[in-house]
Amino acid sequence: MMSVLLIGLDRTRVRTSVWLVVLSCLALLTGCGNFGRLAADILETQERLRVVSGQIEAPACKDCEVIVVVMGDDHGQEIHNYRVFERPGRFRLAALHDSRFLVAFQDLNRDFAYQSNEPAVWYDLSGSLIKRGDVENIVLSLNGPSARPLPPALENLFELRGNSLGKIDVQLGKVVSLDDERFSRESATMSMWEPIGFMKAGRAGIFFLEPYDPAKIPVLFVHGINGTGRNFASMIEHLDRQRFQPWVLNYPSGMDLRALGDGLVGLLAELRHRYGFSRMHLVAHSMGGLMVREYLAECARTNSCEYAGNFVSISSPYGGIPNMELWLDFARVVMPAWRNLVPDGPFLKNLFALPLPNGVRHTLLISYRNTSSFSRESSDGVIPLKSQFQRDAQRQAVTIRGFDEDHVSILQSPDVHSEVNLALLADDATQRAGLAGPGR
């Protein structure tokens, strides 16, 4: 759910002043340590990580997946990171500042290992080590097997999840229970104020609640800021488990939503590369709806994510949080996600610039019971109705439903559970027709 720091921000300058006093008191009483942790994490990110990006060319197979691997040496003993791309085209991924090589190959047999007959290429990053910034405009041309042999260590890449980038990484496909400590209230707080530590502790990733079943459609549940997958416990309990298998995304919710959306494209491409599902649905609460919409925008930009199906957003602030920019001026350290919530900021201005990818159906669920004692404006106690009913969000939605629930109780409502199941079942006959195929 949205952080208590954001609750009740109002439109009038008088009420805003009151809230700035409240926020100041919270920061003095409980937040100084949190701001320090956040500052340390941001500094560590800047000092350790960079982004490498460019274009992948593969004329022999324009629809084959490509794996790009970042290495610290030319023997493959130091694999810093890797990412799966659904097809050639634009690419970007994180590297360490001392990463020395990129290796890209088309994993034709989908085994997360390189074979000598697969198209591949090396790229030397050594010349960029003197710089501290990102590396752009790299061209990776996969015209056939590499003349330079690739390291034999490039095998079982999927098993490296959680151990790359100096363990600033995420888990994928691990089967856990919602009782797991990863989904605790303490973990939610850590995801906001200590995102790097959150990932190092193995708390971030896409987790399964049961072993993967090719006969069931995955449904990915995406929480909001200061939340975890446990927020959906009641909804998952009432999910139609004959048709669907629940996955939960646990992510560092203080991070920039553009980076998170782009990262989600890569994580799901990797899971699809391994399991071959042809359809997946998404259910998101609060700020999670913004993150999923950014993910879908990245899908549209890269012409990927053909598996993406029904999208249900619940109580999401598509219009931002009123006067958020005043809090940014006030805060000692700015949480990156806060910048994404500025109503007229660049993130929200561009969020709906591209239409939803083909085949994606958006169901917009609204909560309107105001439980706040600080504001009488129309809201659910946290998110104003005006923000939930943002014009472009309404225009893209195929269904809009409102519920007499507050920002938290809407996730426990039996009526909402029924509505979510109905939304996920839309076009079910079409979806089941190619359920177990690789989705090509």
Side-chain angles (χ1 to χ4, degrees):
M1 65 178 182
M2 298 300 293
S3 166
V4 67
L5 296 178
L6 306 182
I7 294 176
L9 288 172
D10 209 304
R11 288 173 293 182
T12 67
R13 188 165 297 278
V14 173
R15 287 178 180 171
T16 298
S17 299
V18 172
W19 267 105
L20 290 179
V21 172
V22 173
L23 291 170
S24 177
C25 293
L26 285 173
L28 289 172
L29 293 173
T30 64
C32 291
N34 286 335
F35 281 116
R37 290 158 63 196
L38 179 61
D41 264 30
I42 291 173
L43 180 62
E44 180 174 356
T45 301
Q46 294 171 342
E47 290 182 343
R48 298 193 64 185
L49 301 181
R50 68 196 327 189
V51 174
V52 295
S53 62
Q55 193 77 12
I56 300 171
E57 299 174 351
C61 187
K62 296 183 179 180
D63 289 316
C64 295
E65 290 96 338
V66 178
I67 298 180
V68 180
V69 184
V70 184
M71 300 189 301
D73 69 316
D74 59 357
H75 301 295
Q77 299 303 309
E78 298 179 25
I79 296 178
H80 289 173
N81 193 20
Y82 73 92
R83 178 168 173 171
V84 177
F85 295 89
E86 288 187 26
R87 56 178 54 86
R90 186 169 63 90
F91 82 92
R92 68 193 304 269
L93 76 164
L96 298 179
H97 278 294
D98 59 353
S99 297
R100 295 179 60 86
F101 296 97
L102 296 182
V103 168
F105 67 96
Q106 288 192 297
D107 189 18
L108 301 180
N109 64 351
R110 306 164 70 91
D111 67 347
F112 283 89
Y114 172 70
Q115 278 79 43
S116 60
N117 65 324
E118 293 174 328
V121 67
W122 285 80
Y123 187 91
D124 192 341
L125 289 168
S126 300
S128 68
L129 292 179
I130 59 174
K131 304 176 183 177
R132 299 299 291 171
D134 298 339
V135 183
E136 301 175 331
N137 301 318
I138 294 171
V139 177
L140 301 175
S141 297
L142 285 74
N143 296 313
S146 174
R148 178 182 181 181
L150 268 62
L154 292 186
E155 57 185 22
N156 298 323
L157 287 172
F158 191 84
E159 302 305 321
L160 294 178
R161 271 292 162 208
N163 293 295
S164 60
L165 290 176
K167 295 193 175 180
I168 306 175
D169 195 12
V170 299
Q171 308 283 332
L172 276 186
K174 181 172 288 188
V175 179
V176 298
S177 162
L178 284 178
D179 293 329
D180 192 281
E181 202 276 333
R182 292 177 176 88
F183 308 122
S184 65
R185 173 50 46 204
E186 293 74 20
S187 186
T189 301
M190 188 179 188
S191 81
M192 290 176 59
W193 297 105
E194 199 176 349
I196 300 300
F198 179 82
M199 290 188 281
K200 285 183 177 179
R203 297 167 188 258
I206 296 177
F207 297 95
F208 296 178
L209 302 184
E210 60 189 36
Y212 178 77
D213 184 347
K216 297 179 182 179
I217 299 173
V219 179
L220 182 65
F221 290 86
V222 182
H223 62 77
I225 196 169
N226 197 28
T228 72
R230 192 178 293 175
N231 297 145
F232 294 102
S234 179
M235 187 171 291
I236 290 173
E237 182 181 353
H238 293 88
L239 183 70
D240 183 348
R241 300 292 279 271
Q242 296 299 311
R243 292 184 171 90
F244 305 119
Q245 54 188 311
W247 297 354
V248 292
L249 175 65
N250 223 41
Y251 65 96
S253 64
M255 290 185 65
D256 177 73
L257 296 183
R258 287 165 295 192
L260 290 169
D262 174 66
L264 184 56
V265 173
L267 295 179
L268 289 171
E270 187 170 338
L271 283 174
R272 183 171 179 266
H273 189 64
R274 177 163 189 173
Y275 295 111
F277 56 87
S278 62
R279 197 70 165 171
M280 188 206 68
H281 304 315
L282 302 109
V283 177
H285 177 235
S286 194
M287 192 185 76
L290 276 62
M291 199 264 268
V292 170
R293 187 60 184 86
E294 173 61 21
Y295 149 79
L296 292 169
E298 183 64 17
C299 292
R301 284 190 285 267
T302 57
N303 190 29
S304 58
C305 316
E306 295 175 357
Y307 56 83
N310 298 318
F311 166 39
V312 182
S313 67
I314 305 169
S315 310
S316 292
Y318 290 114
I321 302 297
N323 289 312
M324 190 68 217
E325 65 275 14
L326 297 179
W327 171 235
L328 297 185
D329 292 338
F330 170 79
R332 303 175 48 198
V333 180
V334 174
M335 187 178 294
W338 291 344
R339 298 188 188 279
N340 304 133
L341 298 171
V342 175
D344 294 321
F347 175 78
L348 290 178
K349 277 186 175 180
N350 296 320
L351 187 60
F352 296 94
L354 293 174
L356 289 168
N358 291 334
V360 176
R361 297 167 52 91
H362 184 193
T363 296
L364 185 67
L365 303 187
I366 306 297
S367 47
Y368 56 80
R369 183 190 299 166
N370 188 354
T371 57
S372 172
S373 58
F374 293 96
S375 171
R376 295 186 179 277
E377 71 173 331
S378 299
S379 76
D380 63 2
V382 176
I383 307 300
L385 280 181
K386 180 181 178 181
S387 182
Q388 296 183 60
F389 272 118
Q390 197 269 358
R391 180 186 59 190
D392 293 319
Q394 290 189 66
R395 287 176 174 173
Q396 74 171 17
V398 296
T399 303
I400 301 173
R401 296 284 185 270
F403 296 88
D404 185 15
E405 302 286 349
D406 63 37
H407 193 66
V408 176
S409 70
I410 191 169
L411 295 179
Q412 284 77 48
S413 165
D415 290 339
V416 173
H417 299 162
S418 297
E419 195 68 43
V420 168
N421 275 305
L422 284 173
L424 297 180
L425 286 168
D427 295 334
D428 185 49
T430 301
Q431 294 162 14
R432 283 187 288 169
L435 185 61
R440 289 206 184 106

